Amino acid sequence: MRSMTGFGRAEGKVGSSHFTIEVKSVNHRYLETRFRLPASLSSCESQCSEILRAKFERGAFEINIKHRFAPTGGTLTAGTRFVVDEMAARTLLEGADWICKELKLSEKPSLEFLASTNRVFVAVEENENAESLWAGVKPVYEQALSELSKMRDTEGGKLKKILKDGVDSLSQIVKRVVELAPEQPKRIQEKLKARVAQWAIAPADPQRLEMEIAFLAERADVTEELDRLKTHCAAFLTQLDASQSVGRKLDFLTQELHREVNTLGSKAALIEITQLTVEGKTAVEKLREQVQNVE
């Protein structure tokens, strides 16, 4: 069993470039990806997605790849360089000189003034062959995904224990209801006879009374609900040991457990069973919350 929550990180050098790759995932009904790639790898998103989808089935993934250059001595620089637009610089200085002359200003334009225009110093993205870059980045990316997978496995082990404890608690509740269920017909009979004695003006027909008791006892029979709850709990535990993705199956079983517990509560004739039903709903709700994180 694997969780859908995890984080993986890897770094590597490809030629004069240094890459840092971070991948994190959270729970999601399907598989969703969001990439933040440098311009040098913008054409490689489909390859990244294909590799990820081959390793995971569900989750919302955020993939962030940072690209920096290390041209000399291993010193890292940004993936851009600056060039001077000579024509822009000349015309700007000519315009500034004219203003100074016309307004009789003594101060000459500074380097800070030239930079503030964002026209003289122009940022240029360094271009490298995307295909050759991807060949070097791919193993780094796979390493980050491997780290993510390990964390999801670890979190999945923790989830498995939580879910098993939750199912065990629900099974104990079902067991207690099984012990109390045979008391329901007797309690129904006592209640109905007490009400008839309180409200009836004339003596009740014993045969009709017995028929009503039998009818109400049949409606309050919870044998099927208890049998299905036992079956669903057993199936839930079996899925916990499965090697493939089981999140959707567990989600379905949780819905079935919720429905059976609700039906059980609607048929309860004993206050003790009603109280156990409330506990059962709480146990199922805790299972449902945890199941949302299972891949």
Side-chain angles (χ1 to χ4, degrees):
M1 173 184 290
R2 293 202 297 185
S3 168
M4 285 190 280
T5 302
F7 176 81
R9 188 177 189 275
E11 296 184 42
K13 189 176 180 182
V14 182
S16 62
S17 299
H18 183 275
F19 288 90
T20 301
I21 302 178
E22 295 180 345
V23 187
K24 61 181 180 180
S25 66
V26 294
N27 62 307
H28 194 275
R29 188 174 181 182
Y30 303 108
L31 193 152
E32 182 181 86
T33 57
R34 184 172 63 179
F35 291 91
R36 296 177 61 187
L37 304 179
S40 55
L41 291 175
S42 59
S43 62
C44 301
E45 182 173 327
S46 59
Q47 292 98 312
C48 291
S49 180
E50 183 179 351
I51 292 174
L52 187 146
R53 290 177 181 276
K55 296 178 179 292
F56 305 98
E57 295 187 34
R58 297 176 69 202
F61 296 82
E62 184 176 320
I63 301 93
N64 186 14
I65 301 180
K66 297 178 181 178
H67 181 190
R68 292 177 290 177
F69 287 88
T72 57
T75 303
L76 298 178
T77 63
T80 58
R81 63 185 179 87
F82 287 90
V83 297
V84 175
D85 188 331
E86 185 178 350
M87 182 61 70
R90 287 183 182 279
T91 56
L92 182 62
L93 286 173
E94 289 173 1
D97 286 341
W98 182 86
I99 291 174
C100 289
K101 183 183 295 185
E102 288 295 318
L103 300 180
K104 295 181 174 55
L105 300 176
S106 59
E107 186 176 350
K108 298 293 184 180
S110 65
L111 185 61
E112 289 79 9
F113 168 72
L114 294 176
S116 68
T117 64
N118 294 323
R119 292 293 185 272
V120 177
F121 298 97
V122 182
V124 178
E125 292 289 339
E126 293 283 1
N127 293 318
E128 292 190 35
N129 183 275
E131 185 176 343
S132 61
L133 271 181
W134 172 244
V137 171
K138 181 180 177 182
V140 183
Y141 177 61
E142 291 179 331
Q143 182 183 349
L145 293 182
S146 178
E147 294 299 318
L148 171 68
S149 182
K150 289 177 183 178
M151 185 172 180
R152 283 166 64 112
D153 287 340
T154 301
E155 293 298 314
K158 298 176 183 178
L159 270 178
K160 181 178 178 179
K161 184 180 185 307
I162 293 172
L163 290 171
K164 185 179 183 304
D165 291 344
V167 174
D168 289 342
S169 296
L170 182 59
S171 296
Q172 289 300 314
I173 293 171
V174 172
K175 183 178 179 181
R176 288 157 63 189
V177 175
V178 169
E179 295 171 352
L180 291 170
E183 297 294 322
Q184 290 219 121
K186 181 180 178 182
R187 186 67 58 87
I188 291 171
Q189 182 181 33
E190 292 174 352
K191 286 183 177 181
L192 187 57
K193 286 184 175 180
R195 288 177 182 176
V196 169
Q198 181 181 358
W199 297 335
I201 299 174
D205 181 358
Q207 186 174 0
R208 176 65 184 275
L209 184 59
E210 291 300 323
M211 289 177 60
E212 290 295 331
I213 292 172
F215 174 72
L216 292 175
E218 179 65 25
R219 289 185 58 184
D221 182 34
V222 293
T223 303
E224 291 186 10
E225 287 73 22
L226 292 172
D227 287 342
R228 282 194 287 266
L229 281 169
K230 292 176 187 176
T231 301
H232 295 330
C233 285
F236 201 105
L237 291 174
T238 299
Q239 291 301 321
L240 293 182
D241 293 324
S243 57
Q244 70 274 19
S245 175
V246 295
R248 289 190 177 92
K249 292 180 180 178
L250 293 180
D251 187 46
F252 170 76
L253 286 171
T254 304
Q255 293 177 31
E256 292 299 301
L257 287 169
H258 186 267
R259 181 169 62 179
E260 297 302 334
V261 170
N262 276 340
T263 305
L264 183 65
S266 68
K267 290 185 174 184
L270 297 176
I271 186 62
E272 295 87 350
I273 292 182
T274 300
Q275 292 171 345
L276 288 171
T277 300
V278 173
E279 293 181 25
K281 289 180 180 180
T282 302
V284 173
E285 182 61 24
K286 289 180 179 179
L287 287 175
R288 189 194 66 78
E289 291 175 359
Q290 296 298 333
V291 163
Q292 302 309 308
N293 295 316
V294 179
E295 183 181 13

